[in-house]
Each structure stands twice: as structure tokens, then as C-alpha cells.
């Protein structure tokens, strides 16, 4: 049932399962992106001894230890992430100015059966949530793309996409932090610096943050 | 001044330490030596801390000149390797897994790996490039760390730190070093093992696999040997964090064993992973090599990892 006085359980009937992944890691599996973010935030706030990395996934949090963990470390993770107790903390909100008009905007519009302007309007009107990071440093998968804008990845990835390209890949949208190869559909570009290893916070986006795009 | 000048870079030589902890949250691969135990061994041989930065060599090693005014102690661990010291017009053969000295103006010439693929060169004092996000390891995907976030090129100058400890009095013998036999890597069940057919691990272990040419520090790609069929049941999953040595099976059925420069999250199911004690064997695989897998229990894998740790030279 409900947790301590004044606390509002966010996921009253949901399951969480902790499984060992090899000798030095375990994977906490939950049933939603929101539960994954809540568990990730909770585990980050704990001082779990000997943890080398915490990685948020779409339905999971991976905990990597520096050495083989003992049973008490695993029990501490389980008790801290009881789904009845997890709460969603609001993340930061980012507004990103985008010059729409990338080389695949016409393709996305054609697939959606919409005018270019309408694709731009719908992409810029939605609010996105940072689901998880991956692919390259600072690359965030943004959840919340309107269904009509879902566009399959290109059959052949481009060898070189400029840094700051705003793109759509399947159900996700995102911004390429650095120049490099990629298979997503390019619909615009931004001057925002998503990743800079010399900054105190190298990565602009963290799992759970909200992102809005503004037409520049 | 203590420095090594890169006269020839070798096939792919990068500055590596034990990798970046707590960087996966920025989407940064952990990186670091493919075989961290071998780098630790090399570091201990020259009296360094375990996490000092050294060089990871791939197939063909570099030629390095002592460009400073002090003798530099160095040691190589990993694959058997041809190496020699060029001193006053003479080429003196050197041994792996034993410390040796490079005098000012002398050159260390690292030839080709004799079997295996990778080696780790430690120098007393460590390669003293700046720490970026807590590590000196090269992050190729982010173009930072090491020297310019890239493999070494001729003319690079490697700053070497001050000596901290004294060299080990014994050499290193890796209990799981490559032999002439087909390497056999211990496997543990992966996070999605239940989502494959019950005999998937048996099938992984039944047939020999061959290392594909498109293999690197991101992943080692395997293909079935001698017309054997690929694995069935490969599928996508909600993307989740990845671990070193995890085996992804994409829908095409050709497994990919993830390396230190892997993306931090991945969307392919992982039915198995390579036991930690055999990461050195994994790092030693070159394109065309044949390998096998054998199932292990978690307890057995932990014991094997402990055995390899215990064999390290004392600090």
C-alpha cells in the first residue's frame, strides 16, 4: 500500500526485477520509462559502495560494480527501488532553437502525408522526455515524437552528419552532438552544444529531462 | 623531462588506462584497456599504480624514442610480441612481461604480435596526458582523452610522469594466456537468455565461431564456421545498458561480443556474456581466428576471475 506519510507512490502495482549480469553487474528491470527514471534517480542519490556506473535504459537501470558485488549490495538496490515507493522527480527543461529544413524533411513530410510546415509545427509543438543516452557521447534518445512523424531509419546510414543535426529515427527524435555517421532522418540543425567533455556537466541532457524545440 | 616520441605509430596504438567510471550516464563508453588485468600487470612490473595510463598496441606495435634526459623503465604484457631496443646502432632483443630500461636517445621497436592481437605497454610514471572526466583513456567516439582522442601518429610526444614505486621483482604469467589450442571462452547467461530457445547457450557452445574482419574495440563480430547456421531468435529489446563482453544477437543471428568502446546502451537481446577471467582471450582475437565457448556457472566464473587477479605481480 501507500508508503510513509506524505509520500505518494507513483507505481503502486508495478513489478521490478533484479537480475545478475555476469560477475560484476546487475540489471533492474521495470515496466515503464518513468519507473526506470525514478529508479535511476533514486540509485544515483544513494551512496551504494563500489558502484562504477549506473546506466538508465528504456525499461531498466544497469548497475556496474567495480568488483563482484555481495548479496547485501544487491538487497540494498532491491529495497531502494521498491516500485511502490518510487516517485518521479521532475527533470530540468531545455528549450532548443532549431533551424528546420534538413535534407530529409521532404521525406518525413511525404511519409506522414503532411506539408513541410506542418511537420515542423508538430515537431516543435511536442514536449519530449530524455529517455536514455547512447550511440555516441551526449546523444540522447528523446521520447514523445508524435506518431505521425515516426519515420524509419534510412536504409543506408550517411557516413558523415554535421554536429547539431536534429533528426528522427523510428519513434525517437534527437540531436547529433558531434559530426559522425548516422542513419536518422535530418530535419534541421541547432547551435546548442550538447556535449563538451571540458564542461563540469559535459552532457546537456540527462535521463528524465524535458526538451522543447523552438523554430529559430 | 620525461617523454617518449612516436617515431612510427604502429597499426593502431592508443593511450589507455582502466577506463572512465561513471561516464556512461553521459553516453560516454567506458573505454580503457580491452584487457584491464594485462595493463595492471604491466603497470606493476614497472612499479606504477594499477590505474596508470599506458599504451594499447594492436597487431603491429610502434617505435618509440626516449626523447627525455632520464632512463625510462617499461614493460609489455599481453600477446607474445617481437620487441627490441635500438642502442648505438645495435638491436638488442627484449622479453615480454619483464621490465626493461630505455636510455635517453634509445628507441624501443615493437614489431608484430606473434599470435594474439593486443599488447599493453606500461612505462614507469605512466603516460601523463591530462585527465578528462577522470581518465586518460582515448575516447575515439568523443574525440577526447589520450592524445587528441585518436590513435597515435608519427611525431606525437608522450609526456611521462614521475616515477612513484619500484619495479616488481618477478615477471607475470597470465594463467589464461593464449596457447596453440583454439581459445575457449567461458560463458555466463546474459540478461535476455530466457527470451531465446532453451538450447541457445548449448548451440553457442556446440560450434566453433570465426572472428569477422569488421571487429574492433567497439565489438568483435562472429560468424558461424564451416557453413554452420547462424543463431535463431535474435531480436530487438527496449535499449538498456551494456557490459564489457556481453554477446548481442541481432536478427541476422551473427553474434557481436561488445568491447570497451561499445555504445553504453544497446537495443539487441543479449543471451550470454563472456566471463571476466577470459576478457584477455577475447581481446586477443584477430580477424580469421577460430574460437569456442563453454558454459560456466557464476561461482566458477568468479573463481576464475579471482585466480587471474591473484596471479598479478605483487604491488
Amino acid at each position: 500500500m501507500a508508503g510513509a506519510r506524505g509520500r505518494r507512490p507513483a507505481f503502486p502495482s508495478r513489478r521490478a526485477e533484479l537480475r545478475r549480469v555476469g560477475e560484476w553487474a546487475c540489471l533492474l528491470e521495470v515496466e515503464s520509462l518513468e519507473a526506470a527514471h525514478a529508479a535511476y534517480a533514486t540509485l544515483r542519490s544513494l551512496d551504494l559502495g563500489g558502484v562504477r556506473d549506473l546506466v538508465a535504459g528504456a525499461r531498466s537501470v544497469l548497475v556496474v560494480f567495480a568488483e563482484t558485488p555481495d548479496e547485501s549490495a544487491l538487497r540494498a538496490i532491491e529495497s531502494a527501488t521498491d516500485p511502490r515507493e518510487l516517485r518521479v522527480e521532475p527533470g530540468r527543461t531545455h528549450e532548443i532553437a532549431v533551424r528546420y529544413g534538413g535534407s530529409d524533411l521532404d521525406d518525413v513530410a511525404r511519409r506522414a502525408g503532411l506539408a513541410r510546415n506542418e511537420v515542423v509545427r508538430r515537431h516543435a509543438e511536442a514536449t519530449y522526455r530524455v529517455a536514455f543516452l547512447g550511440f555516441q557521447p551526449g546523444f540522447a534518445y528523446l521520447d514523445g515524437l508524435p506518431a505521425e512523424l515516426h519515420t524509419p531509419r534510412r536504409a543506408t546510414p550517411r557516413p558523415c552528419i554535421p554536429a547539431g543535426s536534429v533528426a528522427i529515427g523510428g519513434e525517437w527524435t534527437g540531436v547529433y552532438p558531434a559530426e559522425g555517421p548516422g542513419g536518422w532522418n535530418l530535419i534541421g540543425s541547432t547551435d546548442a552544444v550538447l556535449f563538451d567533455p571540458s564542461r563540469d556537466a559535459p552532457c546537456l541532457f540527462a535521463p528524465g529531462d524535458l526538451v522543447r524545440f523552438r523554430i529559430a | 623531462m620525461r617523454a617518449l616520441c612516436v617515431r612510427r605509430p604502429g597499426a593502431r596504438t592508443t593511450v589507455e588506462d582502466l577506463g572512465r567510471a561513471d561516464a556512461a550516464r553521459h553516453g560516454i563508453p567506458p573505454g580503457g584497456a580491452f584487457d584491464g588485468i594485462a595493463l595492471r600487470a604491466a603497470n606493476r612490473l614497472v612499479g606504477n599504480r594499477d590505474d596508470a595510463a599506458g599504451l594499447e598496441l594492436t597487431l603491429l606495435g610502434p617505435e618509440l624514442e626516449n626523447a627525455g634526459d632520464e632512463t625510462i623503465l617499461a614493460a609489455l604484457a599481453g600477446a607474445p610480441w617481437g620487441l627490441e631496443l635500438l642502442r648505438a646502432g645495435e638491436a638488442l632483443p627484449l622479453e615480454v612481461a619483464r621490465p626493461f630500461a630505455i636510455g635517453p636517445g634509445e628507441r624501443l621497436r615493437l614489431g608484430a604480435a606473434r599470435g594474439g592481437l593486443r599488447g599493453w605497454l606500461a612505462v614507469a610514471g605512466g603516460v601523463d596526458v591530462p585527465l578528462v572526466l577522470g581518465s586518460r583513456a582515448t575516447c575515439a567516439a568523443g574525440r577526447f582523452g589520450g592524445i587528441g582522442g585518436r590513435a597515435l601518429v608519427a611525431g606525437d610526444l608522450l609526456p611521462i610522469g614521475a616515477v612513484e614505486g619500484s619495479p616488481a621483482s618477478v615477471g607475470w604469467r597470465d594463467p589464461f594466456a593464449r596457447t596453440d589450442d583454439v581459445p575457449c571462452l567461458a560463458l555466463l547467461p546474459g540478461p535476455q537468455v530466457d527470451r531465446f530457445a532453451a538450447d541457445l547457450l548449448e548451440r553457442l557452445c556446440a560450434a566453433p565461431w570465426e572472428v569477422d574482419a569488421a571487429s574492433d574495440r567497439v565489438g568483435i563480430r562472429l560468424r558461424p564456421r564451416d557453413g554452420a547456421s547462424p543463431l535463431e531468435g535474435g531480436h530487438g529489446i527496449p535499449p538498456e545498458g551494456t557490459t564489457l563482453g556481453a554477446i548481442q544477437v541481432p536478427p541476422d543471428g551473427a553474434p557481436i561480443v561488445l568491447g570497451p568502446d561499445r555504445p553504453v546502451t544497446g537495443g539487441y537481446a543479449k543471451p550470454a556474456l563472456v566471463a571476466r577471467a577470459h576478457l584477455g582471450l577475447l581481446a586477443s582475437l584477430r580477424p580469421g581466428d577460430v574460437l569456442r565457448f563453454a558454459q560456466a556457472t557464476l561461482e566458477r566464473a568468479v573463481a576464475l576471475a579471482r585466480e587471474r587477479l591473484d596471479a598479478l605481480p605483487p604491488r
Side-chain angles (χ1 to χ4, degrees), chain B residues 163-242:
Chain B
V163 175
E164 284 187 6
S166 45
S169 53
V170 294
W172 181 49
R173 202 193 70 79
D174 180 1
F176 304 112
R178 275 283 284 267
T179 65
D180 292 338
D181 299 333
V182 170
C184 182
L185 278 58
L187 276 191
L188 291 168
Q192 283 82 38
V193 67
D194 300 343
R195 296 184 207 170
F196 287 80
D199 65 349
L200 188 278
L201 293 184
E202 281 166 44
R203 293 201 46 204
L204 247 176
C205 297
W209 296 88
E210 188 172 320
V211 178
D212 191 82
S215 296
D216 55 20
R217 282 173 46 91
V218 174
I220 294 176
R221 291 166 183 269
L222 306 179
R223 54 173 185 240
R225 175 111 172 126
D226 299 335
S229 54
L231 296 173
E232 287 165 17
H235 60 278
I237 57 167
E240 67 183 25
T242 56

Side-chain angles (χ1 to χ4, degrees), chain A residues 17 19-25 27 29 40 44 51-60 62 64-68 132-139 141 172 178-180 195 197-203 205-207, chain B residues 18-31 40 132-133 139 141-144 188-195 238-244 263-265 273-277 279 298 301-302 305-306 309:
Chain A
E17 192 184 331
R19 62 168 78 219
R20 290 292 291 264
V21 178
E23 306 96 317
W24 50 358
L27 185 74
E29 292 181 293
Y40 174 74
R44 280 218 77 85
V51 171
R52 190 178 156 89
D53 264 310
L54 281 172
V55 192
R59 301 282 182 275
S60 63
L62 178 74
V64 182
F65 294 88
E67 297 290 338
T68 301
F132 50 88
L133 285 95
F135 174 62
Q136 58 173 233
F139 190 96
Y141 290 76
W172 308 101
E179 184 183 280
F195 179 79
S198 67
R199 283 195 305 226
D200 281 346
C203 197
F205 299 155
Chain B
L18 299 181
R20 273 183 187 82
D22 202 25
R25 64 189 169 120
H26 306 303
I28 300 170
R40 285 171 71 173
V132 183
L133 298 170
C139 178
R143 286 171 216 163
F144 63 87
L188 291 168
Q192 283 82 38
V193 67
D194 300 343
R195 296 184 207 170
E240 67 183 25
T242 56
T243 55
L244 181 58
V264 299
T265 52
L273 54 97
V274 173
R276 200 171 169 176
L279 291 178
L298 182 60
V302 169
R306 172 54 54 191
L309 267 179

Side-chain angles (χ1 to χ4, degrees), chain B residues 250-262:
Chain B
D252 70 4
I256 303 168
V257 192
L258 298 177
D261 288 348
R262 67 195 179 277

